[in-house]
Amino acid sequence: MAVVKLIHPIHTLEDQIIFDKGDDFSTDILRELIASNKAPDFPATSLLAYGDVNNDLKRFIDNPPYKVIFSDEKQRNEILGVMSEVKLPYPILQSLDYFKKYDFHTYRHMLMIFALATLLGKVMMPDDKDSVHKASVGPTHDFGKICVPLSILAKPEPLTKSERNILEQHTTAGYALIAYYTNDVDSFAARVAREHHERRDSSGYPRGIAQNDTLVEIIAACDVYDALISPRPYRPVSYDNRTALEVLTEMAEKKEIGWNVVQALVAHNRKSKPHFKDFTVSPEKRGTSPPGNSYGITVDDEYVYQENEK
Ligand SMILES: [Fe+2]
Ligand SMILES: [Fe+2]
């Protein structure tokens, strides 16, 4: 199994370093660490009952476009029922306090992915209870961002290449930490943390593998969608809903993600809620991306150095 060299430490919220900068990392190394870990089991607690999560979530859902996506009250209550069964190890729940305080975007984003991925899981696999439960692991997909310095997470200017590399390592960090807290390198939540930026055509990161798991893809698509329609430090104006859905459509056209999940997402943006299988997504692109969007733009580290020297 491939071994990578870490470019930034992987640590807990209490700053306990699990892997240091320069350490070798692989699933086997992680498995060994977990096997030798004498720490007690981390108790699991209900996510929806934690802190203000339930109220915050309802407040976030009450805003467009989620207000329309969750407009079917019976369905919304069903989804909240599934979500109320999700339990997470306490240290993972505590990350919500951290993000709520220091990076509210990520806090809101985690809760919205929780709700939206559970909904799409239920819509796409209505009779598969196990899969719907798996889709509800969405909130932990970005857990590894606790290892990304806030100066990078909140940076309004384009990231340097080394900053982007540290940001992208949130996938490996999330994988390692969730496996550590659940004592399970094969847990689905750990896998989602590692693979939610991988794409069907292998154009994603961190490993550039071909993503063909529908459940991981549901979370990946919700992740992109919510990021586009939300304000972000690197983009003063967020995407309007139509343009965001068109970006997702374009990703399906380029074979980065599957059509089913895009159909389900677009169909749920209709008040009539047509069944995703009977729904054709329009290929027309009429939206315009917002101005001043620096997402995906990186600058050379030397460039920033020179700018600082001026
Ligand atoms: Fe992510
Ligand atoms: Fe995310």
Side-chain angles (χ1 to χ4, degrees):
M1 193 157 293
V3 175
V4 292
K5 272 230 180 300
L6 296 176
I7 53 160
H8 193 69
I10 297 179
H11 59 78
T12 67
L13 265 181
E14 289 82 34
D15 283 334
Q16 184 197 343
I17 292 180
I18 308 285
F19 289 97
D20 212 343
K21 180 178 173 177
D23 279 358
D24 286 338
F25 180 87
S26 71
T27 298
D28 287 340
I29 296 171
L30 179 62
R31 199 175 271 125
E32 263 170 49
L33 173 95
I34 291 169
S36 64
N37 180 26
K38 299 285 179 282
D41 272 356
F42 301 99
T45 315
S46 164
L47 168 54
L48 215 51
Y50 183 77
D52 286 329
V53 166
N54 199 14
N55 285 337
D56 287 343
L57 185 80
K58 286 187 173 150
R59 195 158 50 87
F60 299 149
I61 286 180
D62 224 18
N63 283 296
Y66 290 107
K67 207 178 162 86
V68 174
I69 295 174
F70 287 91
S71 59
D72 180 333
E73 208 178 316
K74 184 170 163 268
Q75 189 178 51
R76 185 177 60 221
N77 290 336
E78 255 174 40
I79 301 308
L80 286 169
V82 174
M83 291 164 74
S84 70
E85 289 168 32
V86 174
K87 290 184 172 172
L88 292 173
Y90 200 69
I92 297 183
L93 289 176
Q94 283 178 310
S95 72
L96 291 169
D97 298 332
Y98 170 82
F99 287 121
K100 191 170 180 179
K101 190 166 173 194
Y102 297 110
D103 180 11
F104 196 80
H105 290 306
T106 299
Y107 173 70
R108 189 203 139 279
H109 175 68
M110 285 170 134
L111 296 190
M112 290 326 297
I113 301 310
F114 185 23
L116 189 58
T118 311
L119 172 74
L120 293 189
K122 181 90 183 139
V123 166
M124 293 171 67
M125 286 158 283
D127 305 318
D128 185 349
K129 213 169 170 226
D130 186 46
S131 292
V132 177
H133 274 266
K134 277 186 167 173
S136 65
V137 305
T140 57
H141 75 285
D142 274 339
F143 179 60
K145 284 191 176 169
I146 66 166
C147 301
V148 180
L150 292 167
S151 56
I152 295 180
L153 287 181
K155 191 175 174 185
E157 300 89 23
L159 299 181
T160 64
K161 282 186 180 135
S162 47
E163 286 169 336
R164 172 141 291 274
N165 290 341
I166 291 173
L167 177 66
E168 292 189 355
Q169 200 186 274
H170 79 278
T171 48
T172 310
Y175 168 57
L177 287 167
I178 294 172
Y180 176 76
Y181 285 127
T182 56
N183 282 314
D184 183 5
V185 288
D186 300 312
S187 86
F188 186 66
R191 188 167 149 212
V192 166
R194 187 185 211 184
E195 293 183 6
H196 68 277
H197 289 286
E198 303 286 7
R199 300 291 179 249
R200 277 191 181 208
D201 62 349
S202 311
S203 63
Y205 68 86
R207 290 180 292 165
I209 58 165
Q211 179 58 262
N212 44 28
D213 184 308
T214 308
L215 283 167
V216 181
E217 200 167 77
I218 286 176
I219 290 155
C222 294
D223 182 36
V224 173
Y225 175 65
D226 183 71
L228 290 172
I229 58 169
S230 313
R232 290 274 153 147
Y234 47 76
R235 188 177 52 226
V237 185
S238 48
Y239 278 65
D240 65 73
N241 196 37
R242 175 206 290 270
T243 315
L245 291 171
E246 286 176 2
V247 171
L248 269 292
T249 309
E250 209 170 278
M251 286 176 74
E253 285 166 349
K254 289 195 272 183
K255 299 191 168 44
E256 290 176 14
I257 55 172
W259 276 108
N260 277 357
V261 64
V262 177
Q263 280 166 253
L265 193 56
V266 180
H268 254 73
N269 269 278
R270 299 281 164 89
K271 280 208 174 80
S272 57
K273 309 276 176 268
H275 192 273
F276 75 98
K277 291 237 159 130
D278 310 325
F279 186 79
T280 317
V281 176
S282 160
E284 220 175 316
K285 308 281 182 294
R286 287 171 290 181
T288 37
S289 21
N293 178 19
S294 62
Y295 180 76
I297 301 173
T298 44
V299 291
D300 286 339
D301 294 56
E302 300 76 43
Y303 168 81
V304 174
Y305 180 70
Q306 283 162 13
E307 285 291 295
N308 289 342
E309 292 286 282
K310 276 182 196 167

